[in-house]
Amino acid sequence: MIRCLIGFLCVCFIWLWGVDATAFAQVEKPQFTEQQLKKGDKIARKAIKALEKGDLNQSEAYWTKLIEEFPQNPAVWSNRGNVRVSQHRIKDAIADFDRSIAIAPQYPDAYLNRGIAYEGQKNWDLALADYNQVLEISPQDPVAYNNRGNAKAGQQKWQEALTDYEKAIEIAPSFSLARANAALVTYQIGDRFEATRQLRNLVRKYPMFPDVRAAMTAVLWVEGKQGEAESNWVAAVGLDNRYQSLDWVANIRRWPPKMVEALEQFLTLS
């Protein structure tokens, strides 16, 4: 899960004048006019709107313009890095996150987002190091625990991954993605009954969550409940048709192997 800052004025007030002075002791704090800040805010909103429309190139161009105008703002570097991750330009993204971290070493989101980029390279150790750094800065960060669980799952350390997902849920009980991840890993570990129970609860609470709909399809099909499985599948692909690709499920969404195998049985025989 990537994090970014939404409004440029908010970015400036946080990062240039600082809420936590110790976090930015070594960061130069240039002064900007109100007109410059309003202009920056307008560009940032355009960058976000372009991203929402799926125009990654335009969004990157806006963030690049902001970097040119406000080169000592760590958040604009991190946000451009996020766009570059979405473009699968992992090395370029990491360079942006590195710059953000160099400007403000106590800015946790740059570490979090760089960890995601390292995961994209399957560099689990570096990803874990970044997530651990986030947790040193912010020990109750549920996203860092969830993402660290993802990296441990990448190493096939399933029980350790589950522990991290459960910690994320403990901190943020409504964190639906962490709950889904916990259910998937529970299935991988071998407790199919508990995994199915968790998935049913998630479908009941979040009926528009395609990940759990697709997961329910897989586990129900294996259980021989074809009608219910197919009903969940219609909902899943109606919400997100990427679940029709096993390659995407296995390598981008990164379901555990046993869950991928269960979905493959459905896609092969349905």
Side-chain angles (χ1 to χ4, degrees):
M1 176 178 287
I2 288 175
R3 279 204 300 246
C4 63
L5 293 179
I6 302 301
F8 185 76
L9 287 175
C10 177
V11 168
C12 286
F13 288 133
I14 292 174
W15 296 114
L16 299 181
W17 292 283
V19 175
D20 180 358
T22 62
F24 308 104
Q26 300 177 357
V27 179
E28 182 183 355
K29 299 180 180 180
Q31 298 297 317
F32 297 106
T33 67
E34 184 177 353
Q35 184 179 5
Q36 287 175 305
L37 292 178
K38 287 182 177 179
K39 179 182 177 182
D41 182 65
K42 185 176 181 180
I43 296 170
R45 292 179 190 279
K46 288 180 178 179
I48 294 161
K49 185 173 292 186
L51 183 61
E52 290 172 348
K53 292 180 177 179
D55 191 344
L56 299 177
N57 291 336
Q58 185 62 67
S59 183
E60 181 193 8
Y62 285 130
W63 287 119
T64 298
K65 184 172 180 59
L66 285 171
I67 285 169
E68 292 169 355
E69 297 289 334
F70 305 92
Q72 291 303 308
N73 187 311
V76 294
W77 287 95
S78 186
N79 285 345
R80 189 176 72 171
N82 292 341
V83 174
R84 288 178 165 181
V85 169
S86 298
Q87 294 170 316
H88 306 292
R89 293 166 54 196
I90 303 301
K91 289 183 179 180
D92 290 339
I94 289 171
D96 279 349
F97 298 136
D98 288 347
R99 179 59 179 159
S100 179
I101 289 166
I103 295 168
Q106 292 302 310
Y107 172 28
D109 285 9
Y111 293 103
L112 184 87
N113 295 333
R114 191 174 66 177
I116 294 167
Y118 284 136
E119 283 191 64
Q121 296 178 325
K122 297 188 177 180
N123 196 330
W124 312 121
D125 289 339
L126 288 179
L128 286 170
D130 272 348
Y131 298 142
N132 287 336
Q133 183 64 35
V134 175
L135 291 169
E136 284 189 23
I137 298 169
S138 181
Q140 294 298 303
D141 189 325
V143 177
Y145 277 109
N146 176 77
N147 289 13
R148 192 173 74 173
N150 292 340
K152 289 180 177 178
Q155 296 177 319
Q156 298 189 2
K157 296 179 179 179
W158 305 114
Q159 190 59 57
E160 291 183 25
L162 181 59
T163 298
D164 274 346
Y165 294 142
E166 289 175 341
K167 181 63 176 179
I169 295 164
E170 177 187 326
I171 296 169
S174 62
F175 193 172
S176 58
L177 182 58
R179 288 188 175 276
N181 287 334
L184 297 177
V185 169
T186 298
Y187 190 90
Q188 175 68 29
I189 289 170
D191 193 345
R192 294 187 174 186
F193 177 83
E194 175 61 18
T196 303
R197 186 192 70 79
Q198 292 178 19
L199 288 170
R200 285 190 182 279
N201 287 341
L202 283 166
V203 168
R204 189 178 304 115
K205 191 168 185 178
Y206 307 103
M208 304 301 287
F209 190 173
D211 199 62
V212 294
R213 286 286 193 174
M216 279 299 296
T217 299
V219 301
L220 291 170
W221 186 264
V222 170
E223 291 176 4
K225 300 176 181 178
Q226 286 87 354
E228 192 176 356
E230 290 173 351
S231 176
N232 276 279
W233 184 245
V234 169
V237 297
L239 293 164
D240 189 339
N241 62 15
R242 291 176 296 180
Y243 287 91
Q244 296 177 95
S245 168
L246 281 175
D247 180 69
W248 182 85
V249 171
N251 296 306
I252 304 300
R253 172 57 182 94
R254 295 201 353 248
W255 277 10
K258 289 183 180 179
M259 282 297 309
V260 175
E261 291 170 9
L263 183 61
E264 183 176 19
Q265 290 184 43
F266 171 78
L267 291 176
T268 301
L269 299 175
S270 61

